């Protein structure tokens, strides 16, 4: 390996070597064991991987609502929407919605034998959040199309496109807010389940409580319409605390979790 190379270059080279060597390792094992080869991954580690994957899915999905229908000078928002690679964004947002639905099914399957009610509750919330993300993706496509019409049109055509785009953006924002709330509430259910089953350290529950407090703050700010900053701050706390819980809990479970958890872990599932 060359000396003086940047750390990022060395890391990429190591990752590339691992990826290139993995097929050879699997082939070698198959040659040694034949058709009897059986690779095992524990249910807990699969669940931890899904929790980590949810972080990326939630961050991608939440970026749909990056436009403010109440901002002065809506012209700038429309021109910004018309200038972004909308097709690539739609693909990412669709993957996010479908990924949440897949994660919902996987986590429900992983935890239903331990706590059926919490497993199905969190799974239903995640599935609904995924469906709302897909609906928001369709609304985003319509919004971008109207933004294109606004930029290309003039006079009455532009005015009509602007009015319709604002209406769609309002609906899209409400849909995304509901999907985000359902996703965060699902994280709370998962946090309670993981704490009861000793899958994560008990102190990690504080993050779920912070997330719930942030959501309550956001809902209070929205209901009273007294302070937009309170609503925004509460929503940010709810999401960030939930994402931090997913990262720590998912990483801990993937790396082995608590000692008691390993003793009570379900039988490894062959794949």
């Amino acid at each position: 390996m060359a000396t003086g190379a940047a750390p990022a270059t060395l890391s990429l080279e190591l990752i590339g070597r691992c990826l290139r060597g993995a097929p050879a390792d699997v082939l070698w094992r198959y040659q040694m064991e034949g058709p009897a080869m059986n690779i095992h991954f524990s249910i807990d580690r699969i669940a931890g991987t899904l929790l980590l994957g949810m972080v990326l899915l939630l961050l991608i999905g939440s970026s749909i609502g990056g436009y403010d229908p109440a901002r002065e000078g809506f012209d700038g928002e429309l021109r910004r929407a018309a200038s972004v690679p909308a097709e690539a964004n739609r693909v990412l947002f669709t993957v996010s919605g479908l990924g949440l639905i897949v994660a919902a099914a996987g986590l429900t399957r992983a935890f239903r034998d331990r706590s059926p009610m919490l497993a199905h509750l969190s799974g239903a919330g995640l599935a609904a959040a995924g469906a709302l993300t897909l609906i928001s993706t369709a609304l985003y496509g319509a919004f971008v199309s109207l933004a294109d019409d606004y930029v290309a049109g003039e006079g009455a055509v532009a005015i009509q496109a602007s009015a319709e785009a604002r209406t769609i953006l309002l609906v899209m924002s409400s849909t995304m807010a509901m999907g985000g709330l359902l996703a965060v509430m699902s994280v709370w259910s998962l946090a309670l389940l993981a704490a009861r089953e000793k899958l994560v350290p008990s102190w990690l529950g504080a993050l779920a409580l912070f997330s719930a407090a942030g959501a309550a703050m956001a809902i209070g700010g929205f209901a009273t319409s007294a302070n937009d900053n309170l609503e925004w701050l509460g929503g940010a706390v709810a999401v960030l605390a939930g994402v931090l819980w997913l990262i720590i809990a998912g990483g801990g479970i993937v790396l082995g979790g608590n000692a008691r958890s390993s003793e009570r872990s379900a039988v490894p599932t062959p794949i």
Side-chain angles (χ1 to χ4, degrees), residues 58-84:
L58 291 176
L59 291 178
I60 292 175
S62 63
S63 65
I64 300 177
Y67 302 92
D68 186 2
R71 179 175 297 175
E72 293 184 6
F74 192 55
D75 169 83
E77 295 288 83
L78 291 172
R79 293 186 181 278
R80 182 162 65 91
S83 66
V84 300

Side-chain angles (χ1 to χ4, degrees), residues 1-84:
M1 186 175 296
T3 58
T9 302
L10 298 179
S11 299
L12 289 174
E13 184 175 345
L14 289 174
I15 293 172
R17 290 186 178 185
C18 290
L19 293 176
R20 291 194 300 268
D25 290 339
V26 173
L27 180 60
W28 172 82
R29 183 168 177 181
Y30 180 80
Q31 290 173 341
M32 294 297 293
E33 300 182 14
M37 183 181 70
N38 202 4
I39 301 175
H40 294 279
F41 292 96
S42 71
I43 288 291
D44 285 353
R45 283 189 169 86
I46 293 175
T49 302
L50 290 173
L51 292 178
L52 290 174
M54 279 176 55
V55 174
L56 182 60
L57 296 174
L58 291 176
L59 291 178
I60 292 175
S62 63
S63 65
I64 300 177
Y67 302 92
D68 186 2
R71 179 175 297 175
E72 293 184 6
F74 192 55
D75 169 83
E77 295 288 83
L78 291 172
R79 293 186 181 278
R80 182 162 65 91
S83 66
V84 300

Side-chain angles (χ1 to χ4, degrees), residues 108-180:
T108 302
R109 171 65 183 85
F111 293 134
R112 66 183 181 184
D113 293 334
R114 297 183 173 188
S115 181
M117 182 183 72
L118 289 175
H120 286 91
L121 185 63
S122 60
L126 285 177
L132 288 173
T133 300
L134 294 176
I135 294 173
S136 298
T137 301
L139 292 171
Y140 169 80
F143 169 70
V144 171
S145 178
L146 288 168
D148 292 337
D149 292 343
Y150 171 82
V151 172
E154 295 180 357
V157 174
I159 294 175
Q160 180 67 21
S162 176
E164 293 178 1
R166 188 187 296 270
T167 300
I168 288 179
L169 188 55
L170 287 169
V171 176
M172 186 178 76
S173 299
S174 299
T175 304
M176 280 304 305
M178 181 59 67

Side-chain angles (χ1 to χ4, degrees), residues 216-232:
M217 184 189 306
I219 293 173
F222 175 78
T224 59
S225 299
N227 193 336
D228 291 339
N229 291 331
L230 182 66
E231 179 184 346
W232 180 89

